[in-house]
Amino acid sequence: MFNKSMKTLLTCELFKGMNSAELISVLTCLNPKVYSYKRSELVAMEGDQLTGLGIVLAGDVVITRENAVGSRIIIATNGPGGMFGEIAAFAGNYIWSDTIIAREACKVMFLPGEKIVGSCENACVSHKLMIANILKIISLKALMLNKKIDYLVIKSMRGKVCAYLLEQFKKQGKQTFVMPLKRNELADFLNVSRPSLSREMGKLRDEGVIEFHRASIKIKDLNTLKTLAE
Amino acid sequence: MFNKSMKTLLTCELFKGMNSAELISVLTCLNPKVYSYKRSELVAMEGDQLTGLGIVLAGDVVITRENAVGSRIIIATNGPGGMFGEIAAFAGNYIWSDTIIAREACKVMFLPGEKIVGSCENACVSHKLMIANILKIISLKALMLNKKIDYLVIKSMRGKVCAYLLEQFKKQGKQTFVMPLKRNELADFLNVSRPSLSREMGKLRDEGVIEFHRASIKIKDLNTLKTLAE
DNA sequence: AAAAAACGGTAACCCCAGTTACCAAAAGCA
DNA sequence: TGCTTTTGGTAACTGGGGTTACCGTTTTTT
């Protein structure tokens, strides 16, 4: 069980390039804390004081943000090896900028932010590597946010749905695939209402562009889909 | 004239903590190129190969992104000392992710991306400082993108306008101020159409919340504005 | 200084998507 | 296994904001 977590951690971008021994040495230095959460449980709350950098060891979490009115948006989802709270932790902004919720039973490791960026005597070699990793992580995060903006800028329901389906197709490499998000999650991800999303998907189905049942989707007319995605 | 540019550069986040001598030493090492642009001229084109990290020496540039349909969005504007292309340059993604346009006659310095992140013998001391600066720059950029997302997630016209006005008030510290963006620029920034924006601003004026003429704005009822901004 | 372009306010029209409500199917849970 | 909750498809209604068009004002350009 502990070994399983170690394997997951070795796949984490933060520890990239390290072997087991180095990882253990770094970890003992960083004083990590592991917590478990049940399905739908709150892992972190937007605005609260930062617990630290979060690394998912098992399960799935959703990174969301909500405004005063109550409409929420899904920024991303994270499986094992995924991180959250990087920006706040590395930027020294010790407040959660997002709300994190467990999609299912999951286990999360927290690393205190100050320790990561600050210097450390015990694991200096690995620490230098970590700084390089951090630079890459933040850059990738920024690129991800850029992409997120691209989604939000699309104005029509149809454009959003098609752009999303097209990206899933590119990511999964098959025209028949399972959607990683439930309908209301997808609605929150695209920043639209669920009934409107279902309505549009129904239209696309009627027009013969796609076919679907619940989470499984089949792209029937890829070319049309590409056109519609702008 | 050269001194003026140097002064601007010293205020740039990338060179923070350096003195003139160090800056000159770093610059000679980085082999910068300076170009001038006329009003409305294209500085960089989304999708094109990266020229390098851009630093504005004089004038104003707009960072925009547009989709196939032609609707464009303004990500940010940058004055002297401002940077663009950081993410691509530092992430090693050598393609412009945004389109950069000169809002007015301006002068821009480009630093080749590889040189900044790569190691360098001549200016080692300053170079280490730069790496630290870069980490901070990227983090701040990510925070900025986060904020941009917050804007885009707001669904109502009214909410967007009020949120924007409120932020300007906080930034400028006065209830009467000049808007840094023209109407159609603001529309692009908020991802709405110009006539709809004007219509909403007219409504807010009729309701006594604000008062305006062209670029000058006066917030008459700050409390209501805060409420409306959610 | 005159001509051209950009800027910005306003009005009419209309469609897209949000809202609400309801129900059937699937999945958790006891 | 049966009960409860979640998930998701669908329909009717409504309104907010996009689109288009027009025009006066301001700014740029030559």
Side-chain angles (χ1 to χ4, degrees):
Chain A
M1 184 164 137
F2 184 66
N3 282 328
K4 204 172 166 189
S5 293
M6 284 294 290
K7 246 184 192 168
T8 304
L9 283 173
L10 283 169
T11 69
C12 178
E13 283 287 335
L14 185 63
F15 305 117
K16 207 167 193 173
M18 295 188 193
N19 57 39
S20 300
E22 290 167 333
L23 175 56
I24 290 174
S25 133
V26 169
L27 280 184
T28 50
C29 170
L30 287 177
N31 186 32
K33 280 174 188 157
V34 177
Y35 295 99
S36 291
Y37 300 90
K38 280 180 268 184
R39 173 188 153 88
S40 297
E41 205 175 341
L42 192 69
V43 178
M45 178 81 174
E46 189 178 342
D48 281 3
Q49 211 195 335
L50 195 76
T51 324
L53 169 69
I55 302 178
V56 181
L57 296 179
D60 237 25
V61 300
V62 198
I63 303 172
T64 71
R65 206 173 300 165
E66 36 198 303
N67 58 22
V69 181
S71 80
R72 72 164 204 172
I73 187 179
I74 291 183
I75 305 288
T77 58
N78 261 345
M83 277 171 286
F84 53 87
E86 324 93 315
I87 304 178
F90 300 150
N93 169 26
Y94 292 114
I95 283 183
W96 289 105
S97 58
D98 303 288
T99 294
I100 316 289
I101 294 171
R103 282 186 87 196
E104 55 188 50
C106 64
K107 206 159 68 168
V108 176
M109 187 173 93
F110 290 96
L111 303 175
E114 331 87 51
K115 290 230 175 178
I116 302 178
V117 198
S119 57
C120 136
E121 311 78 37
N122 306 349
C124 257
V125 187
S126 304
H127 207 271
K128 200 174 172 186
L129 182 62
M130 263 176 58
I131 296 286
N133 284 343
I134 288 172
L135 193 60
K136 193 174 179 192
I137 290 166
I138 303 256
S139 299
L140 289 176
K141 179 80 177 192
L143 284 174
M144 190 274 275
L145 291 173
N146 255 337
K147 194 165 204 173
K148 182 73 202 170
I149 288 176
D150 282 338
Y151 267 120
L152 293 175
V153 166
I154 300 173
K155 276 175 182 157
S156 74
M157 185 77 252
R158 173 155 290 211
K160 289 188 185 210
V161 175
C162 292
Y164 179 80
L165 292 177
L166 210 57
E167 191 186 296
Q168 283 305 309
F169 162 66
K170 282 180 188 163
K171 193 176 283 177
Q172 305 200 24
K174 293 169 290 186
Q175 287 192 225
T176 303
F177 56 84
V178 174
M179 300 236 273
L181 297 179
K182 294 167 189 167
R183 286 293 184 282
N184 51 13
E185 289 176 335
L186 180 54
D188 285 345
F189 182 78
L190 299 176
N191 199 31
V192 297
S193 78
R194 187 188 57 78
S196 300
L197 171 63
S198 272
R199 182 205 292 148
E200 194 61 41
M201 287 182 65
K203 279 187 195 167
L204 288 170
R205 184 196 49 208
D206 295 347
E207 294 170 22
V209 183
I210 59 174
E211 213 169 72
F212 65 92
H213 179 69
R214 295 256 157 179
S216 52
I217 290 253
K218 180 179 181 181
I219 297 175
K220 293 179 72 180
D221 187 347
L222 190 57
N223 286 329
T224 304
L225 194 73
K226 280 180 182 169
T227 313
L228 295 176
E230 301 167 335
Chain B
M1 184 167 134
F2 185 65
N3 282 329
K4 203 172 167 190
S5 293
M6 285 294 289
K7 245 185 194 169
T8 304
L9 284 174
L10 283 169
T11 69
C12 178
E13 282 288 333
L14 184 62
F15 305 117
K16 206 167 195 174
M18 296 187 193
N19 57 38
S20 301
E22 289 167 332
L23 176 57
I24 289 173
S25 134
V26 169
L27 280 183
T28 50
C29 171
L30 288 177
N31 186 32
K33 280 173 188 156
V34 177
Y35 295 100
S36 291
Y37 300 90
K38 279 180 268 183
R39 172 189 152 88
S40 296
E41 205 175 343
L42 193 69
V43 178
M45 178 81 174
E46 189 178 341
D48 281 3
Q49 210 194 335
L50 195 76
T51 324
L53 169 69
I55 301 179
V56 180
L57 296 180
D60 236 26
V61 300
V62 198
I63 303 173
T64 70
R65 206 173 299 163
E66 36 198 301
N67 58 22
V69 181
S71 81
R72 73 165 203 171
I73 187 179
I74 291 183
I75 305 288
T77 59
N78 262 344
M83 276 171 285
F84 54 87
E86 324 95 314
I87 304 179
F90 300 149
N93 169 27
Y94 292 114
I95 283 182
W96 289 106
S97 57
D98 304 287
T99 294
I100 316 289
I101 295 171
R103 282 186 88 196
E104 55 188 50
C106 63
K107 206 158 69 167
V108 176
M109 187 173 92
F110 289 96
L111 303 175
E114 331 86 51
K115 290 229 176 180
I116 301 179
V117 198
S119 58
C120 137
E121 311 79 36
N122 306 350
C124 257
V125 188
S126 304
H127 206 272
K128 201 174 170 186
L129 182 63
M130 263 176 60
I131 296 286
N133 284 342
I134 287 172
L135 194 59
K136 191 172 180 193
I137 290 166
I138 303 257
S139 299
L140 289 176
K141 179 80 177 192
L143 284 175
M144 189 273 274
L145 290 174
N146 256 337
K147 193 165 204 173
K148 183 74 202 167
I149 288 176
D150 282 338
Y151 266 120
L152 293 175
V153 166
I154 299 174
K155 276 176 179 155
S156 75
M157 186 76 251
R158 173 154 289 210
K160 289 189 187 210
V161 175
C162 292
Y164 179 79
L165 291 177
L166 210 58
E167 191 185 296
Q168 283 305 309
F169 162 66
K170 282 180 190 164
K171 194 176 282 177
Q172 305 201 23
K174 293 170 289 186
Q175 287 193 224
T176 302
F177 55 85
V178 174
M179 300 236 272
L181 297 178
K182 292 167 189 167
R183 285 291 184 285
N184 50 13
E185 289 176 334
L186 180 55
D188 284 346
F189 182 79
L190 300 176
N191 199 32
V192 296
S193 77
R194 186 188 58 77
S196 300
L197 172 63
S198 273
R199 182 204 291 149
E200 194 61 42
M201 286 182 64
K203 279 186 195 168
L204 287 171
R205 184 196 49 207
D206 295 346
E207 294 170 23
V209 183
I210 59 173
E211 213 169 71
F212 65 91
H213 179 71
R214 295 255 157 179
S216 51
I217 290 252
K218 180 180 181 180
I219 297 176
K220 291 180 71 182
D221 187 346
L222 188 57
N223 287 328
T224 304
L225 194 74
K226 280 180 182 169
T227 313
L228 295 175
E230 299 168 334

